């Protein structure tokens, strides 16, 4: 299945070359994959990820993705 | 320790002993307590009976990291309630080092339209004050005036002041402090405190702390232990450490995540997503600078002794500075909320706010309301900048806009005023992030994110996790817990951003308590210190009640109850009982 992925802040370096923060790219995954497996497929060390949003909702690592889901992955961020 | 009382009726001053009941207070705790003690809650905020109180925090001026904060208190011309507006600047430690616990500005000159300035120096064993005429600086761009002040009084001084917005007595007018490069950019922006200083005819307070003895510390060992724990927590946490999130991308690092969550108010709170969010985000600022300057540029400190260092500078194609700094709130207010995705234009709008003495949140939301009312179209960069100039010139249109978002909505017959108690909402949609909605509704300050920043657990997974879209009773408890702790942090003199580190690293919180006990010579537990935070809010609340506020003022605007906010299609639905529980249980 294919999911849409966006990487932000320091995680941008795991995106395909030339992608800016927030640019969508597509990733092919086995059916029933979860967020943790997507993160592994992207080669991102787990400790660098703080929050993952799927279609605008924060979801845990074990959350199973569906085809076409839009996943935004963030390192620790804060401001105000 | 002194209270310095400046009487603007006859330009005299008094140095007063610090009363017993003020000895353990600082920052917001002290400004709010003095306002409660000395200002009639029913006075007109622009009349002679209002006062402006300045107070550095408890540990401000010491070697404690990220603690150069000052609180400015008054009865707010914007909300009609109590106000504490907080800023980071070298001005705060300079005052603290002169052992001045608070400065109270009172009275009003008989001569209309005249301005004075105060030159505060150390005379050998106590502070001394000189009043000087300041008419030559009135009516002018602060970027022009600040260099003249530094030229005249020397490089070592620190300068607080107001711009034309304060002179015109706008509901939107801040008190500005210099940054590390002597620019007029660090604002106690919210609630119109600049206008109150304007009514006093006080344009600048120039502080020269040369020769001052420094902050008295009762228990040096305990203080040092505390400061060490605080420093360690800030250096360790991914958000606050050097080259961490804030140091690299600035506070605007939040644009993308709040947008992703569907909580970034866009085009005057019509949707929770801005299609061009990534173009104005902290990452875009970092990349833009890298491209234009040919190297990675990390952020700098707004004030001495900060190790978080989150202030950015945006450069143009020629490598010249457009503005420093574009905060998340300003970026959002002129960006997403006005439908503008041009970073350079956003930078220019921040610049003009600094030049005129305007609060960027109130200014951006006001322009968003004007756009929503058909004054100019959403996304109109030139039109938006023109509206800022109207405010700067004090034209009739500018005066309506300078009255703030609520005044502007009223003037143009628009029910979509995103305000609570007359103060514009900041950059988080309360329909999509329920806990911050509770804070906006109930805060003694009007809609204010900083007074109970539930965004940390609701959006950022800092200090636990709370589902932002869940309408639950626990949101009342969450907001209350944040409001109490925040009142403590705002009194300590620390920047609120230490919260990211100390929420996750408990030794950092212990460190803050040790620092406070060390300076004051007390033995408060963490719980007792937070209880002090609760007591400060109770005092503020009592002031607001005496000024005429009731629970019915602790509500979100009606349009948010019937307009569904995309993409989650949610309304403001936290029950009134939950809102009322915040103070009911305090």
């Amino acid at each position: 299945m294919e999911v849409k992925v966006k990487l932000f802040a320091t995680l941008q370096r795991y995106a395909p070359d030339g992608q800016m923060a927030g640019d969508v790219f597509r990733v092919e995954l086995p059916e029933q994959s979860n967020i943790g497996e997507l993160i592994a497929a992207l080669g991102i060390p787990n400790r660098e990820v703080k929050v993952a949003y799927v279609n605008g909702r924060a979801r845990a690592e074990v959350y199973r993705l569906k085809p076409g889901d839009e996943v935004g992955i963030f390192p620790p961020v804060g401001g105000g | 320790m002194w209270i310095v009382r400046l009487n603007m009726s006859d330009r005299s001053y008094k140095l007063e002993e610090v009363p017993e009941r003020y000895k353990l207070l600082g920052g917001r705790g002290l400004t709010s307590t003095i306002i409660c003690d000395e200002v009639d809650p029913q006075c007109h905020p622009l009349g002679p009976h209002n006062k402006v109180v300045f107070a550095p925090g408890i540990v401000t001026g010491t070697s404690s990291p990220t603690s150069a904060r000052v609180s400015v208190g008054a009865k707010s011309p914007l909300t009609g309630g109590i106000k504490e507006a907080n800023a980071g600047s070298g001005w705060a430690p300079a005052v603290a080092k002169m052992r001045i616990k608070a400065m109270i500005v009172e009275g009003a000159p008989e001569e209309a339209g005249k301005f004075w300035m105060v030159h505060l120096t150390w005379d050998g064993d106590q502070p001394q004050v000189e009043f000087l005429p300041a008419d030559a600086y009135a009516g002018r761009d602060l970027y022009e005036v600040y260099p003249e002040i530094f030229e005249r009084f020397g490089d070592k001084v620190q300068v607080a002041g107001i711009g034309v917005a304060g002179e015109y007595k706008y509901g939107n007018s801040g008190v500005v402090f210099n940054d590390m490069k002597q620019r007029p950019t660090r604002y106690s922006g919210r609630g119109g405190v600049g206008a109150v200083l304007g009514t006093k005819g006080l344009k600048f307070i120039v502080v020269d702390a040369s020769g001052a003895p420094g902050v008295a510390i009762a228990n040096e060992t305990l203080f040092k232990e505390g400061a060490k724990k605080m420093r360690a927590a800030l250096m360790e946490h991914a958000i606050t450490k050097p080259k961490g999130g804030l140091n690299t991308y600035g506070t605007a690092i939040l644009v993308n995540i709040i947008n992703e969550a569907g909580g970034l108010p866009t085009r005057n709170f019509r949707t929770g997503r801005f299609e061009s969010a990534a173009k104005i985000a902290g990452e875009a600022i970092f990349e833009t600078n890298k491209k234009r300057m040919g190297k990675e540029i990390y952020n700098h400190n707004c004030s001495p002794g900060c190790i978080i260092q989150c202030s950015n500078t945006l450069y143009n194609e020629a490598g010249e500075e457009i503005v420093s700094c574009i905060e998340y709130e300003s970026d959002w207010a002129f960006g997403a909320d006005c439908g503008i995705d041009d970073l350079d234009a956003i930078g220019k709008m921040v610049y003009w706010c600094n030049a005129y003495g305007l609060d960027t949140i109130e200014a951006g939301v006001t322009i968003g309301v004007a756009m929503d009312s058909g004054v100019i179209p959403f996304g109109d960069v030139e039109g938006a900048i023109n509206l800022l100039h109207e405010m700067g010139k004090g034209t009739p249109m500018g005066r309506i806009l300078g009255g703030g978002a609520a005044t502007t909505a009223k003037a143009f017959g628009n029910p979509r005023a995103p305000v609570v108690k007359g103060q514009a909402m900041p950059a988080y949609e309360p329909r999509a992030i329920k806990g911050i909605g509770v804070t906006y509704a109930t805060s003694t300050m009007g809609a204010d994110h900083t007074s109970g920043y539930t965004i940390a657990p609701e959006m950022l997974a800092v200090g636990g996790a709370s589902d932002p879209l869940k309408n639950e009773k626990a949101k009342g408890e969450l907001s209350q817990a944040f409001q109490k702790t925040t009142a403590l942090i705002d009194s300590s003199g620390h920047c609120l951003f230490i919260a990211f580190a100390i929420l996750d690293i408990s030794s950092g919180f212990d460190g803050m308590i040790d620092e406070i006990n060390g300076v004051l010579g007390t033995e408060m537990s963490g719980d007792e210190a937070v209880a002090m935070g609760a007591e400060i809010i109770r005092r503020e609340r009592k002031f607001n009640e005496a000024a005429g506020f009731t629970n019915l003022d602790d509500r979100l605007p009606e349009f948010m109850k019937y307009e569904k906010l995309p993409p989650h299609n949610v309304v403001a639905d936290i029950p009134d009982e939950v809102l009322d529980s915040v103070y009911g249980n305090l």
Side-chain angles (χ1 to χ4, degrees), chain B residues 293-309:
Chain B
M293 304 301 282
K295 60 178 180 189
E296 290 186 342
I297 296 175
Y298 290 86
N299 296 329
H300 59 271
N301 48 328
C302 73
S303 53
C306 179
I307 54 184
I308 300 177
Q309 308 203 351

Side-chain angles (χ1 to χ4, degrees), chain B residues 492-515:
Chain B
S492 74
H494 278 296
C495 169
L496 193 50
F497 289 171
I498 63 150
F500 294 117
I502 71 172
L503 280 167
D504 283 339
I505 303 169
S506 64
S507 58
F509 179 83
D510 298 341
M512 178 175 73
I513 304 301
D514 290 347
E515 291 175 338

